[in-house]
Amino acid sequence: MPIANGNGAVRNSHRSMQQHAEGPAAMLAIGTANPTGVVVPQDIFAENIFRVTKSEHLTELKEKMKRICQKTGIDKRHFHLTEESLAAHPEFLDRQVPSLDSRIDMADTAVPELAQCAAIKAIAEWGRPATDITHLVFSTYSAWQAPSFDHQLAALLGLRPTVCRTILSLHGCYGGGRALHLAKQLAENNHGARVLVACSEITLVCFGGPDGGNLIGSALFGDGAGAVIVGAGPFAQGERPLFEMVSATQTTIPRTEHVLGMQVSGGGVDFHLGIQAVHPGGRQILDNIDTELKLDAGKLAASRHVLREYGNMSGATIIFVLDELRRRRKEDGDDLLPEWGAMLAFGPGITIEAMVLRCPRASSLSNN
């Protein structure tokens, strides 16, 4: 059936319908970034946090924090928040003092700029102009304003005004998995689509003086951003699939809403950990997965490496793991890494994002 445009031209409705892509979506490029504020070795973190928050008189809590830090499997973490920033914002130290506005003001610049650093790396690797990006999916737990960080990142990167933007907020540690899942659906259902996934997290929104309820979160979380270009066939000249996104699911475990959550208050974001011994993103969850799934030694080596070098960066962490897997594959060769694998991300709900991935062998890639 012909349809008249506003200028009187006639087009065919069949041609106006969205066409599906050819084959499954794939990750085409990856970029990561960390803030340049400060890098804190884990073995001195407890001393630092109790000193800068003027909490050194809480000796029992400090010793408990030290024991927790020793068991995290983390060597160091990156942070945007510096001692100078804390000196300028003493309200961050006391959760009873309103500080949300100040935290939002700082995050409003820091979060999209950190995402920009990661996205620039991914776009450069991809090899096509940023204006070829058709969709943007931005995940963070630091967004409370509109227009939000997706709008700011699009402007920072010079994306087209017609780019389709989506913001995912407060998904926590499964935010990266959710964003990649959504990008897969967008790429496969829109012929020629190229989706930029950006996850950017900084802990200043949840920073506070140590108390009995925030020790584990303080010992685990760090700051970072990850970006991935996702697309589906046909692939353009120079585009090479890093990981094919074969299938994806999201599952919520019934009656676990109380176990893990986040609450925005006047003093920032409070993390609720109902079961502190099994914190998502910590070493123990990796140990449990190893044990329950009876994995061969080294299967979670990339995950453990990222945890050790960066800590838990919430939704951005999974992109760092994918980047590490890609790096190891490049160094060790195709034959030393399995062709098939699974990506898992856990977060509030408790929600589990799972994706089956395939690493195309170099010999199977066609010359584009």
Side-chain angles (χ1 to χ4, degrees):
M1 178 179 121
I3 300 176
N5 288 331
N7 60 5
V10 176
R11 58 183 174 87
N12 192 295
S13 63
H14 294 292
R15 293 180 181 178
S16 68
M17 294 175 61
Q18 293 286 355
Q19 296 179 344
H20 294 293
E22 298 175 6
M27 303 179 202
L28 304 176
I30 301 173
T32 63
N34 296 97
T36 58
V38 63
V39 180
V40 180
Q42 190 76 340
D43 59 356
I44 65 170
F45 178 78
E47 292 287 350
N48 276 17
I49 191 71
F50 276 79
R51 175 178 56 81
V52 300
T53 60
K54 300 177 175 59
S55 305
E56 291 179 300
H57 61 287
L58 303 174
T59 55
E60 290 186 9
L61 275 184
K62 184 165 74 170
E63 291 305 311
K64 185 176 181 179
M65 170 73 86
K66 288 181 178 179
R67 293 193 298 271
I68 292 172
C69 287
Q70 291 171 356
K71 297 178 180 179
T72 58
I74 297 170
D75 284 352
K76 62 180 183 292
R77 288 176 288 162
H78 298 252
F79 297 99
H80 172 81
L81 197 59
T82 64
E83 290 191 34
E84 292 76 16
S85 300
L86 281 176
H89 294 279
E91 69 273 17
F92 289 179
L93 304 181
D94 187 351
R95 283 305 184 95
Q96 304 306 312
V97 177
S99 61
L100 186 59
D101 288 346
S102 297
R103 295 173 192 263
I104 291 176
D105 287 343
M106 292 180 68
D108 188 54
T109 300
V111 173
E113 287 185 351
L114 189 59
Q116 178 191 20
C117 293
I120 287 174
K121 295 178 183 178
I123 293 169
E125 179 191 340
W126 179 40
R128 292 173 58 179
T131 49
D132 283 356
I133 293 170
T134 59
H135 297 73
L136 170 61
V137 180
F138 196 120
S139 177
T140 184
Y141 61 66
S142 303
W144 305 301
Q145 68 275 2
S148 196
F149 297 151
D150 57 320
H151 181 275
Q152 294 179 54
L153 181 59
L156 288 170
L157 295 174
L159 305 187
R160 291 182 298 173
T162 55
V163 69
C164 296
R165 297 177 286 105
T166 301
I167 184 79
L168 303 177
S169 180
L170 293 177
H171 285 62
C173 294
Y174 79 93
R178 175 87 284 267
L180 289 168
H181 188 166
L182 178 57
K184 168 181 166 62
Q185 295 172 325
L186 290 169
E188 292 175 351
N189 286 282
N190 294 275
H191 192 274
R194 292 296 180 265
V195 187
L196 171 61
V197 170
C199 301
S200 184
E201 308 289 10
I202 55 176
T203 52
L204 76 86
V205 298
C206 53
F207 179 86
D211 57 42
N214 66 357
L215 297 185
I216 292 182
S218 296
L220 283 175
F221 287 98
D223 300 353
V228 182
I229 301 291
V230 176
F235 297 111
Q237 180 73 26
E239 289 186 326
R240 298 286 183 176
L242 302 174
F243 300 100
E244 288 184 357
M245 308 161 81
V246 180
S247 64
T249 62
Q250 182 188 97
T251 303
T252 302
I253 302 176
R255 297 180 296 279
T256 59
E257 296 86 353
H258 64 286
V259 174
L260 173 65
M262 292 178 284
Q263 179 67 46
V264 179
S265 67
V269 174
D270 292 318
F271 284 91
H272 168 67
L273 309 176
I275 302 178
Q276 295 190 355
V278 188
H279 187 285
R283 184 176 69 180
Q284 188 163 357
I285 195 169
L286 297 178
D287 292 343
N288 288 341
I289 291 173
D290 256 340
T291 301
E292 294 299 323
L293 298 183
K294 298 179 173 60
L295 298 179
D296 294 337
K299 286 292 187 181
L300 297 181
S303 297
R304 294 185 187 277
H305 171 83
V306 170
L307 181 65
R308 184 170 61 251
E309 294 297 314
Y310 304 100
N312 180 349
M313 298 166 287
S314 193
T317 311
I318 194 66
I319 299 178
F320 278 72
V321 175
L322 291 165
D323 194 38
E324 176 64 16
L325 282 170
R326 180 265 297 271
R327 184 190 67 81
R328 292 175 180 231
R329 180 189 181 193
K330 183 177 181 180
E331 290 183 355
D332 299 338
D334 280 346
D335 296 335
L336 296 182
L337 287 177
E339 182 177 2
W340 294 87
M343 181 188 79
L344 297 174
F346 306 84
I350 287 176
T351 304
I352 304 171
E353 282 283 345
M355 185 176 292
V356 175
L357 302 176
R358 175 180 173 269
C359 299
R361 299 312 194 197
S363 58
S364 68
L365 293 173
S366 59
N367 293 323
N368 291 331

